[in-house]
Amino acid sequence: MRATLLYAADDVRVEDVADPKIQNPTDAVVRIVLSCICGSDLWPYKSLPPSDQPRRMGHEFLGVVEETGSEVRGFEPGDVVVAPFVWADNTCVYCREGLQTSCLNGGGWGVNGVDGGQGQAARVPYADGTLVKLPVGEDSELLPDLLTLSDILCTGYHAARTAGVEGGDSVAVIGDGAVGLAAVMSAKLLGAERIVLMGRHTQRTDLGRDFGATDVVAERGDEGIAKVRELTGGEGAHKVLECVGLKDALVQSFGVVRDGGTISRVGVPQSADVPFGVGDFMRNITLTGGVAPARAYIEELMPHILSGALRPGRVFDRTVALDDISDGYRAMNDREALKVLVRP
Amino acid sequence: MRATLLYAADDVRVEDVADPKIQNPTDAVVRIVLSCICGSDLWPYKSLPPSDQPRRMGHEFLGVVEETGSEVRGFEPGDVVVAPFVWADNTCVYCREGLQTSCLNGGGWGVNGVDGGQGQAARVPYADGTLVKLPVGEDSELLPDLLTLSDILCTGYHAARTAGVEGGDSVAVIGDGAVGLAAVMSAKLLGAERIVLMGRHTQRTDLGRDFGATDVVAERGDEGIAKVRELTGGEGAHKVLECVGLKDALVQSFGVVRDGGTISRVGVPQSADVPFGVGDFMRNITLTGGVAPARAYIEELMPHILSGALRPGRVFDRTVALDDISDGYRAMNDREALKVLVRP
């Protein structure tokens, strides 16, 4: 089959790789119908040192079950399924608590002999634990929306949930990327009263307004902080959803959060340097979040998509064929595209 | 009156200062019956540069109301009262949420013309908001226990509450100082099943066992982390209460906390350097806590002291007269004494 390989920064190729096969009785093989490129794929795309051992790319996909191992009980060939961006047995002590990202037997896509999501098919370990059935056909118009259950919608929702967003809250969302926009949508779903989206790209922030942002602040740094404070009666936001991962975004988060408030970060941190000073301690600021256990939220969020109440698939503003995926990477990296769908 | 002044590291003096007087109609003047020395007093005691403007010391006291301003409604001369370690109006938006440490009109003891707690008397700003009446006489044997409502019991409780300690939790408490021991007691009160106290001073950890610690780990660093993990089924503790404030203690906290767990720190951080790495992000660790709004917890905790269920005053293992307070500082700094009572 064809799959996406990253050889070095700026060197994405689609090549022939081994067809996936059942290796363990708990595996399934899924023919991929729709995949996409993630903001987090851009970090290695920007920086990976050249190597003879290219990296298999992609961790967001949905598709059709082609084959199941002898111990798979919940799926059969023909089922349309979505996979979260981490596979997991969904039975261990962490999975039972909804922390599938810490599954004792789980792991990531594209590493250790597991296929990536940007290809024509994938072997899915622990299929019963990992996959979730989608009650639609593989030609459904909802597929782009449902694909966001793989990562970005659940990641934005994780930010809002771990921040404890609740009715009446003021929420600041840092970052107008796909996850930031999903965080806006999630904050609204949880009843936030005021949702301030901090971002500079008008097309994206306009979509953020559609998703529920009550205000947009384009300014950054001290000026942006002052604006958010002005919008929140001088106090700052009860909850801040940090959807970027850069230190500046975290500094901004501490600047806009209200005393006693919570910052939840879901953008993969690009530095271990956390600017959490004594002043923030005196203000009783909480820093939470982390990599999102998407699997924990899929069943909860899917009905909102099926009913049409949530349309997170609107973040996809470009579609490429698998063989043209390098153009998709380039477009996202150049900020020409917000998020790119890939059709194998 | 006599009051405690810190002129420089290792230079504590008791001198005559102006008698407190009502300055604002919301003030009260309290004759101090019992005070104490705080672990946090030791930081300036170790490090304050010499100055002609000595620092007024002390922020934990109880006593008897001597005089009230014209707008004070809740107290009258003769009332026995305890003061939390931050004064506050208890009516502003933050106070109403139980975050009196962020009171819009509040402040600390010993600064900006407000008396410290280690003296014979104190003017109490916003007396109605700040003080809490104690239903005992000034000769009560419970006074040392009740004095801990001023700071350490509420601070330990804040750690446990903000960490979200609940029935069945495993809790690690870092630090066997007075706040650590209060955190042990608080974790037990909130239903923790396993309470691992990390500390090296046998007398203190023995008291910790009396307060509810199920295990004591004397080792530090990697060895200490391994022991706690062994005691918690290899997983680590659900909640970690960091009651020291040094970076090593925070590093240890990240080491012993379970995936998805929470670290609450209440020891005043002695550095802004927070070792919150990408690995901790991938494990979904939450960092919470902060300076404790003691005022928020006094009414809730007092009944446990009055009933004899909690005896936090056992942390006091030495008593000095006010004029001998420098000996108390020395004893605490040399770890001869755990916590020192001061009788004006």
Side-chain angles (χ1 to χ4, degrees):
Chain A
M1 68 160 179
R2 305 283 285 168
T4 304
L5 298 161
L6 184 68
Y7 278 81
D10 206 23
D11 183 5
V12 183
R13 307 180 202 170
V14 177
E15 296 185 347
D16 287 321
V17 301
D19 286 337
K21 289 190 168 50
I22 300 290
Q23 293 180 15
N24 299 305
T26 49
D27 288 346
V29 169
V30 170
R31 170 173 54 84
I32 295 176
V33 172
L34 202 56
S35 176
C36 56
I37 303 172
C38 185
S40 67
D41 292 333
L42 298 180
W43 298 120
Y45 178 76
K46 287 183 215 288
S47 65
L48 191 74
S51 163
D52 292 341
Q53 301 290 320
R55 189 184 289 196
R56 291 283 288 272
M57 298 299 290
H59 52 260
E60 301 158 282
F61 64 94
L62 52 74
V64 177
V65 174
E66 287 207 317
E67 193 186 351
T68 57
S70 60
E71 291 177 17
V72 173
R73 294 284 167 269
F75 300 94
E76 53 187 42
D79 285 343
V80 178
V81 292
V82 64
F85 71 90
V86 162
W87 50 268
D89 65 17
N90 216 18
T91 59
C92 83
V93 60
Y94 292 107
C95 286
R96 290 198 305 272
E97 294 171 12
L99 197 68
Q100 287 88 345
T101 43
S102 288
C103 176
L104 295 171
N105 299 303
W109 301 105
V111 291
N112 302 323
V114 178
D115 299 299
Q118 292 163 0
Q120 293 183 306
R123 177 177 69 88
V124 176
Y126 294 103
D128 278 334
T130 302
L131 297 172
V132 179
K133 206 174 289 189
L134 297 174
V136 298
E138 65 173 294
D139 55 352
S140 166
E141 288 185 357
L142 292 176
L143 290 197
D145 296 296
L146 292 164
L147 178 60
T148 67
L149 292 169
S150 212
D151 186 341
I152 61 153
L153 180 59
C154 293
T155 294
Y157 191 64
H158 187 56
R161 277 284 292 267
T162 54
V165 172
E166 57 187 6
D169 271 349
S170 58
V171 175
V173 176
I174 315 274
D176 57 11
V179 170
L181 299 177
V184 166
M185 181 175 270
S186 301
K188 185 179 180 194
L189 191 65
L190 293 174
E193 188 176 295
R194 182 146 218 160
I195 302 172
V196 183
L197 173 59
M198 300 191 80
R200 301 191 298 176
H201 305 86
T202 316
Q203 268 192 312
R204 299 176 182 196
T205 55
D206 283 351
L207 188 52
R209 287 187 196 270
D210 283 357
F211 283 177
T214 54
D215 306 270
V216 169
V217 170
E219 291 83 354
R220 290 184 175 185
D222 289 345
E223 206 181 340
I225 291 168
K227 283 252 177 177
V228 175
R229 294 201 160 260
E230 194 184 312
L231 288 167
T232 52
E235 295 170 5
H238 294 99
K239 313 286 163 64
V240 179
L241 314 183
E242 198 281 272
C243 304
V244 177
L246 294 172
K247 189 182 171 191
D248 282 353
L250 200 51
V251 169
Q252 192 157 305
S253 299
F254 278 101
V256 300
V257 71
R258 185 178 186 273
D259 285 19
T262 299
I263 299 166
S264 178
R265 52 178 184 161
V266 293
V268 182
Q270 297 305 304
S271 122
D273 192 3
V274 171
F276 197 147
V278 178
D280 303 308
F281 171 88
M282 301 306 284
R283 299 202 300 127
N284 273 276
I285 305 305
T286 295
L287 179 58
T288 188
V291 63
R295 182 64 186 81
Y297 304 125
I298 294 179
E299 284 95 339
E300 182 182 346
L301 291 170
M302 198 193 309
H304 299 287
I305 294 176
L306 296 174
S307 74
L310 295 188
R311 293 188 51 211
R314 290 182 65 197
V315 298
F316 295 110
D317 54 356
R318 185 168 300 197
T319 302
V320 297
L322 178 59
D323 280 330
D324 300 325
I325 198 167
S326 70
D327 190 50
Y329 271 84
R330 188 204 50 72
M332 268 182 71
N333 197 46
D334 293 349
R335 293 182 179 270
E336 261 177 37
L338 168 53
K339 194 165 172 79
V340 174
L341 277 176
V342 181
R343 294 197 183 273
Chain B
M1 71 159 179
R2 308 281 286 166
T4 304
L5 298 162
L6 185 67
Y7 278 82
D10 208 21
D11 184 4
V12 183
R13 307 179 202 170
V14 177
E15 296 185 348
D16 288 322
V17 300
D19 286 338
K21 288 187 170 50
I22 301 291
Q23 293 180 13
N24 300 305
T26 50
D27 288 347
V29 170
V30 170
R31 172 173 53 84
I32 295 176
V33 172
L34 203 57
S35 176
C36 57
I37 303 172
C38 184
S40 67
D41 293 332
L42 298 180
W43 298 120
Y45 178 76
K46 286 184 217 285
S47 65
L48 191 71
S51 163
D52 292 340
Q53 301 289 321
R55 189 183 290 197
R56 291 281 292 272
M57 298 297 291
H59 52 260
E60 301 159 282
F61 64 95
L62 53 73
V64 177
V65 174
E66 286 206 318
E67 194 185 350
T68 57
S70 59
E71 290 178 15
V72 174
R73 295 282 168 270
F75 299 95
E76 53 187 42
D79 284 345
V80 179
V81 292
V82 65
F85 71 91
V86 162
W87 51 268
D89 65 17
N90 215 19
T91 58
C92 83
V93 59
Y94 291 107
C95 286
R96 290 198 305 273
E97 292 171 14
L99 197 67
Q100 288 86 347
T101 43
S102 288
C103 175
L104 295 172
N105 299 302
W109 301 105
V111 291
N112 301 323
V114 178
D115 300 299
Q118 292 163 2
Q120 292 182 307
R123 177 177 68 89
V124 176
Y126 293 103
D128 277 335
T130 303
L131 298 171
V132 179
K133 207 174 290 189
L134 298 174
V136 298
E138 66 172 292
D139 55 352
S140 166
E141 287 184 357
L142 292 176
L143 290 197
D145 295 297
L146 292 165
L147 178 61
T148 67
L149 293 170
S150 212
D151 185 341
I152 62 154
L153 180 57
C154 293
T155 295
Y157 191 64
H158 187 57
R161 277 284 292 267
T162 53
V165 172
E166 58 187 4
D169 271 349
S170 57
V171 175
V173 176
I174 316 276
D176 57 10
V179 169
L181 299 177
V184 166
M185 182 176 269
S186 302
K188 187 179 178 194
L189 190 65
L190 293 175
E193 188 175 296
R194 182 145 218 162
I195 303 173
V196 184
L197 174 58
M198 302 192 79
R200 300 189 299 174
H201 305 87
T202 316
Q203 268 190 312
R204 300 176 180 195
T205 54
D206 284 352
L207 188 52
R209 287 188 196 271
D210 284 358
F211 283 176
T214 54
D215 306 270
V216 169
V217 170
E219 291 82 355
R220 290 183 175 187
D222 289 346
E223 207 182 338
I225 291 168
K227 283 251 174 176
V228 174
R229 294 203 159 258
E230 195 184 312
L231 288 167
T232 52
E235 294 172 6
H238 295 98
K239 313 287 162 64
V240 180
L241 314 183
E242 198 280 272
C243 304
V244 177
L246 292 172
K247 188 180 172 192
D248 282 354
L250 200 51
V251 169
Q252 193 158 304
S253 300
F254 279 101
V256 300
V257 71
R258 184 178 188 275
D259 285 20
T262 300
I263 300 166
S264 179
R265 54 177 182 160
V266 292
V268 182
Q270 298 305 303
S271 120
D273 193 4
V274 171
F276 197 145
V278 177
D280 304 307
F281 172 88
M282 301 307 282
R283 300 202 298 127
N284 273 275
I285 306 304
T286 295
L287 179 58
T288 186
V291 63
R295 182 65 186 81
Y297 303 126
I298 293 178
E299 284 95 338
E300 181 180 348
L301 292 169
M302 199 194 308
H304 298 288
I305 293 176
L306 296 174
S307 74
L310 295 188
R311 293 188 52 211
R314 292 182 64 197
V315 298
F316 295 110
D317 54 356
R318 185 169 300 198
T319 303
V320 296
L322 178 58
D323 281 331
D324 300 327
I325 199 168
S326 69
D327 190 51
Y329 271 86
R330 189 204 48 74
M332 269 181 70
N333 197 45
D334 292 350
R335 293 184 178 269
E336 260 177 36
L338 170 50
K339 194 164 173 75
V340 175
L341 276 177
V342 181
R343 291 198 185 273

